[in-house]
Amino acid sequence: MTDKKYYVLKESGTYSNALEAYGLAELILGLTHQKAKVSIIDKGIYYELNVKEMELSEIKYFDLFPYLKKKDDKEAIEKGIKNYIDLDEEKERKNRYNDYLKKINEERKKIKNLPNAKPILAELDKKIEDYEDKPIREMDIITGVNQFKALDMYKKAYFNLYSNKDSFQNIIDVVLKLYSDTTNNIEEAKATISDLKKKKKIKDIKEVNSLQLYNPSMVKGAHPSKSNDITPEPVDGFWLQECLKIAGSFNAMVIKPVQIAKQKWDNKIYVFDVNNLDWDKSKKIFNEFKRFLKGNTSIRLDINSILLMSKELIQHREEYKSSKSFLKKYRPHDEIKGFYAVYFKNMGNANSPTNISFLELPLFIEINSYKDAKDWIEIIDEHLKIINNIRNSISEQDESGNIISLLQKYRQFLTTSDIDYFYDFIGQYSIFLMEQIAKKNYFTKPFSEKLMEVFLLKADNRISEILQNQGFRNIAKAIRKSTISEQYAKSKGQQMYDIKYGLAQELLRKSAYKEDLIEFLSEFIVSYNQETARMVEKNKGKARATIKQQDLEDLVKLIDEYDNPSLIGKLLCAFGYSLDRKEKEDEPVEDENNEFDGIQD
C-alpha cells in the first residue's frame, strides 16, 4: 500500500481554501473507491492531507458533485445524466415539510396549557422526528447555488468534468500534481490544461469564474488588475479549484437564513475548519451537527454552532461511545478549530458579504475521563436550551435590546474562552429571567444549580474555595428563596414570602465596591431573617431556614481574601438564580417552538 501527502495553500483568509482541501479529500476517496484513509491537518500556511492506502489502478470517471436539474433542463436528458438533484422536486418536498411543521405547531398551541400536556408534546415531537418526507440534507446548499446566482457556473464546472469522462485520467493527473507540493503552482496547472486542449486530449472546457458562494472575499470589482480600475466584472477563477470547492461544500458548509424583518432574510454561511481529524469522521460529525443546528438570528446561530460542534466531537470519541477511560487530555478544539462564518446581506438581485469572521471552539472544554465527557454533554445541552429560549415570545427569536446584549456576552465568552464574559452574562441573565417569569414566560429557563457548579469548577480554577464556602452557599440559597423559587411558587398558588424583584440589579450594582457589597448583604440578611421569623410565628414553626451570623462572617472573609467583590456578586447571581434538582422538576411546563425549515428561495 502507498502513503501520500497532498497540500492546499491557505491564501484567502476565508473558508475558500478549507472547501478546496475537503473537496480534494472527496476526490481521493472517489479515486480509491472509498478505500483510502484521509486525515487533514492544519499546518498554518497550508492544509496537509495524509493519505494512507492510496492505491490507484484504472481511473474511471465518477461525479465529484451532483448535477442540479430543473424541469426544463433538456441538456441533462440529452447527455444522459443520471446523478442529479431535481431542484423543483426538492423545493416541493421542502414546502410539504414546512406545511407539516405548521400543522404540528398549531396542535401544540391547543394543548400546551392542558394538565397532561407534557406526554402529548413529546408525542408530537416524535411525529416530527419520524416524518419520512423531510428535505434532503443538501437542501441549503442547492438552494444557495440558486440564490447566489451560481447555477450557470456550477453547471459549467460540472460539464468540464462530465464531458471528459473518457479522458478523466488526464484531468486527475493535473490535480494530483498541482497539490503534490506546497507551492500549488496554479499557472503551471493552467498551462498543462491548455496544452491538453490543444492536443485534443480534453475537450469542451469552459472558463469558470470565482463563485462568491465559495469565495466570499472575491467580490465583483474588488480585485481589479489596476488600482484605478474597479469594474463590475466577475473575478476569474481556475475551474479545477472551483470544482473542488463545490465538492467540499456538500460535506462542510451550512447556509442558514437570518431573519431581519417580516418576510425579509439575509444569509449566514458556516464552514468548519479542521485542526487535525480523519476526513470520514469529519463528515459523520458534520452530518449530525447540520441536522441539529437551528436558529433564525445571527448571534444565536454562532452560539449554537460552537456548542453543537463541541458536543458532536465529544460524542464521536471512541472513548465516549464505549464508556472507556480517556488516556490523555482531549479538547474538541484539538480536532476542529472552529468555524469560518460569513454574513451575506440580501441586496435584492445579489448577496453581498458584509462580515467575515472566525468562531473558535472553546479552549476551556477539557476532558480527562468518561465522567468529564458526560458532564460536558449535560452542560452543553442545558446551555443550548437556555440560550435558545432567551426570547420575548415562544414563537419568535429576536436580537433586540437587552436580548442582543445578553447573547453578545455569551458569544464573547465562548469565542474568547474568557470566563469573565460568562459572569457578565449570568448577572444580566438573572435580571432577565426574573422579568420573564414574572410575565409567565416559562420558556425562559433557569440554570441547574448542580450543573452550574460543575461547569464553573471546570471553567474557572479560581473559584473552588468560594463554592465550598458554607456562608456563600447559604446566602446564595437565601437569594434563590427570595426570588426565583418564590416566583415559581406564586405561579402554582403557593407563595408565602415577598418576591425581591430588584435584588439582582441591586446586588450587581453594589458589587462594584467591597464595603457596599457587605452593607447590602447585611441588610438583605436582616430583612430575610425578619420575614422568616414572622412566618415561623404565623405557621407555628413551618418556614425556611434563617441565615446565621457565621454565614455572613464566612462570606465577608471571602470578599476580603479575593479582593474582587464583583466576582462574588456575580457568583451569588449565578447560584442565587439557579434551581436545585427538586425545584427544576417542579418548574411549570412550556412547550418549545419548532423552527420551520426557513431556507429562502
Side-chain angles (χ1 to χ4, degrees):
M1 293 293 181
T2 305
D3 293 348
K4 291 277 190 178
K5 288 188 178 183
Y6 296 97
Y7 311 90
V8 178
L9 280 174
K10 296 169 68 175
E11 299 174 304
S12 68
T14 69
Y15 56 64
S16 174
N17 299 125
L19 292 178
E20 193 177 349
Y22 307 151
L24 181 57
E26 282 296 285
L27 178 67
I28 291 168
L29 287 176
L31 292 172
T32 60
H33 308 287
Q34 308 300 313
K35 293 179 181 177
K37 306 296 181 187
V38 183
S39 60
I40 305 176
I41 305 170
D42 184 349
K43 292 288 189 176
I45 61 171
Y46 57 82
Y47 295 103
E48 180 180 281
L49 280 69
N50 288 326
V51 186
K52 296 188 180 300
E53 301 178 29
M54 178 77 171
E55 286 297 317
L56 297 179
S57 50
E58 183 184 359
I59 292 177
K60 292 184 178 180
Y61 174 81
F62 63 93
D63 283 332
L64 188 55
F65 47 89
Y67 184 75
L68 302 184
K69 173 184 170 295
K70 289 192 171 183
K71 283 181 181 177
D72 57 355
D73 193 337
K74 296 178 182 178
E75 195 171 20
I77 299 171
E78 291 170 357
K79 295 195 176 185
I81 295 173
K82 295 179 181 178
N83 178 25
Y84 64 81
I85 294 174
D86 190 310
L87 295 173
D88 299 298
E89 188 179 293
E90 294 305 330
K91 181 180 177 182
E92 290 171 7
R93 190 195 309 275
K94 181 195 74 174
N95 290 337
R96 287 195 300 271
Y97 181 61
N98 278 345
D99 288 342
Y100 183 75
L101 283 182
K102 287 176 184 176
K103 179 183 174 184
I104 293 291
N105 277 345
E106 287 302 316
E107 290 183 48
R108 295 178 75 94
K109 288 175 185 176
K110 292 175 184 175
I111 62 153
K112 68 179 184 180
N113 293 320
L114 297 177
N116 61 337
K118 199 167 186 178
I120 302 174
L121 291 172
E123 189 177 325
L124 291 176
D125 285 340
K126 184 75 165 53
K127 282 186 176 183
I128 294 172
E129 184 66 27
D130 294 341
Y131 183 80
E132 294 181 354
D133 196 27
K134 291 177 182 174
I136 59 173
R137 179 178 61 85
E138 302 89 352
M139 190 66 202
D140 61 324
I141 303 299
I142 65 174
T143 306
V145 170
N146 254 341
Q147 194 175 357
F148 281 72
K149 307 293 188 289
L151 187 57
D152 287 344
M153 290 299 172
Y154 181 105
K155 287 183 177 181
K156 284 182 181 180
Y158 177 87
F159 280 124
N160 279 355
L161 296 173
Y162 186 81
S163 298
N164 288 283
K165 288 189 289 184
D166 297 334
S167 51
F168 197 49
Q169 173 81 61
N170 293 322
I171 292 174
I172 295 305
D173 288 343
V174 176
V175 174
L176 296 183
K177 184 178 180 185
L178 171 62
Y179 296 105
S180 63
D181 60 51
T182 57
T183 61
N184 286 182
N185 193 329
I186 300 295
E187 294 309 313
E188 182 182 337
K190 287 180 178 180
T192 305
I193 290 291
S194 179
D195 188 53
L196 288 169
K197 285 166 65 179
K198 287 177 184 176
K199 294 176 179 177
K200 299 187 187 232
K201 291 185 177 181
I202 59 174
K203 61 183 180 179
D204 299 331
I205 299 296
K206 302 288 192 301
E207 292 301 318
V208 176
N209 295 322
S210 289
L211 304 174
Q212 194 175 77
L213 177 61
Y214 309 109
N215 304 276
S217 62
M218 304 297 283
V219 182
K220 287 184 180 181
H223 295 266
S225 56
K226 297 179 182 179
S227 61
N228 62 348
D229 180 25
I230 296 181
T231 68
E233 294 300 313
V235 181
D236 291 337
F238 182 34
W239 66 272
L240 278 176
Q241 286 180 296
E242 297 307 304
C243 284
L244 293 180
K245 292 169 189 175
I246 292 169
S249 71
F250 282 94
N251 290 290
M253 177 186 281
V254 184
I255 305 175
K256 297 295 288 185
V258 174
Q259 189 166 18
I260 55 173
K262 194 171 184 179
Q263 302 301 319
K264 193 172 181 182
W265 304 74
D266 292 333
N267 283 292
K268 195 152 191 182
I269 294 181
Y270 297 89
V271 173
F272 67 84
D273 187 28
V274 163
N275 209 357
N276 187 345
L277 192 59
D278 172 82
W279 177 238
D280 272 340
K281 183 177 177 181
S282 296
K283 291 193 290 184
K284 291 174 185 175
I285 291 168
F286 175 73
N287 288 341
E288 288 299 298
F289 160 80
K290 189 170 184 175
R291 190 160 70 95
F292 292 111
L293 180 60
K294 291 185 177 181
N296 287 337
T297 60
S298 180
I299 302 178
R300 215 180 301 263
L301 277 168
D302 288 351
I303 293 169
N304 287 346
S305 296
I306 296 168
L307 290 176
L308 273 173
M309 182 55 78
S310 298
K311 177 183 174 181
E312 291 300 330
L313 285 164
I314 296 169
Q315 290 185 148
H316 278 80
R317 292 290 296 184
E318 287 302 321
E319 299 95 326
Y320 179 79
K321 289 192 287 186
S322 57
S323 305
K324 292 180 179 177
S325 298
F326 284 69
L327 298 178
K328 61 179 181 178
K329 181 176 74 176
Y330 167 71
R331 297 183 303 178
H333 186 278
D334 296 337
E335 294 186 304
I336 288 180
K337 192 182 300 182
F339 288 93
Y340 290 103
V342 182
Y343 191 97
F344 283 89
K345 190 74 181 168
N346 188 338
M347 310 297 286
N349 291 325
N351 286 272
S352 180
T354 58
N355 182 271
I356 298 175
S357 60
F358 189 84
L359 306 171
E360 193 165 5
L361 259 59
L363 294 168
F364 57 79
I365 300 181
E366 293 186 356
I367 295 170
N368 294 288
S369 66
Y370 175 70
K371 184 181 182 305
D372 280 347
K374 281 189 68 177
D375 286 345
W376 275 116
I377 295 294
E378 284 190 75
I379 291 164
I380 290 170
D381 281 342
E382 178 169 84
H383 283 222
L384 281 168
K385 187 173 186 178
I386 286 169
I387 289 297
N388 285 296
N389 283 295
I390 296 178
R391 55 177 81 191
N392 289 313
S393 165
I394 188 63
S395 61
E396 295 180 8
Q397 296 186 57
D398 61 78
E399 290 177 7
S400 58
N402 57 345
I403 290 179
I404 192 170
S405 176
L406 269 172
L407 295 176
Q408 282 176 333
K409 281 187 169 56
Y410 188 88
R411 182 176 62 181
Q412 283 179 299
F413 155 63
L414 282 185
T415 57
T416 64
S417 297
D418 185 343
I419 191 66
D420 287 331
Y421 284 119
F422 180 80
Y423 293 138
D424 291 341
F425 161 80
I426 199 63
Q428 270 189 252
Y429 186 69
S430 303
I431 299 167
F432 179 78
L433 177 65
M434 282 297 290
E435 291 172 348
Q436 294 303 303
I437 295 173
K439 297 174 184 175
K440 299 184 179 179
N441 288 340
Y442 299 120
F443 51 82
T444 304
K445 301 292 183 183
F447 285 88
S448 154
E449 180 191 11
K450 178 65 187 302
L451 283 178
M452 176 66 77
E453 181 175 359
V454 173
F455 163 63
L456 289 180
L457 286 174
K458 290 178 183 296
D460 190 352
N461 56 19
R462 299 174 297 173
I463 63 168
S464 176
E465 185 182 346
I466 298 174
L467 301 194
Q468 291 172 7
N469 185 282
Q470 196 59 48
F472 170 86
R473 299 194 78 96
N474 289 343
I475 292 172
K477 184 176 181 180
I479 290 171
R480 184 183 313 123
K481 294 294 184 185
S482 297
T483 55
I484 186 171
S485 294
E486 203 61 25
Q487 185 67 62
Y488 279 133
K490 180 182 178 181
S491 72
K492 293 176 281 189
Q494 299 171 0
Q495 181 182 357
M496 294 176 64
Y497 300 93
D498 289 340
I499 300 170
K500 312 295 186 190
Y501 285 106
L503 194 148
Q505 293 96 317
E506 191 70 3
L507 173 58
L508 292 170
R509 190 172 68 84
K510 295 291 188 180
S511 295
Y513 299 100
K514 181 168 63 174
E515 293 77 11
D516 289 350
L517 177 59
I518 294 171
E519 182 182 356
F520 170 76
L521 291 174
S522 299
E523 291 173 357
F524 165 71
I525 290 168
V526 169
S527 172
Y528 181 89
N529 285 344
Q530 287 176 345
E531 189 178 10
T532 304
R534 288 194 296 271
M535 191 58 65
V536 169
E537 185 177 347
K538 181 178 178 181
N539 291 337
K540 299 181 179 179
K542 295 178 181 179
R544 63 194 182 189
T546 57
I547 305 173
K548 307 295 189 289
Q549 179 64 29
Q550 186 62 48
D551 293 330
L552 179 59
E553 290 176 5
D554 288 346
L555 188 57
V556 169
K557 184 179 178 182
L558 271 183
I559 295 170
D560 286 336
E561 181 181 335
Y562 275 79
D563 197 27
N564 190 347
S566 179
L567 173 63
I568 303 293
K570 288 168 185 173
L571 283 171
L572 284 170
C573 279
F575 285 86
Y577 289 84
S578 299
L579 292 183
D580 63 28
R581 180 174 295 177
K582 184 179 182 305
E583 290 173 312
K584 289 281 283 183
E585 290 170 355
D586 292 339
E587 278 183 75
V589 174
E590 179 69 53
D591 65 301
E592 294 177 27
N593 180 48
N594 281 309
E595 181 185 302
F596 295 146
D597 179 5
I599 302 162
Q600 302 304 296
D601 300 314

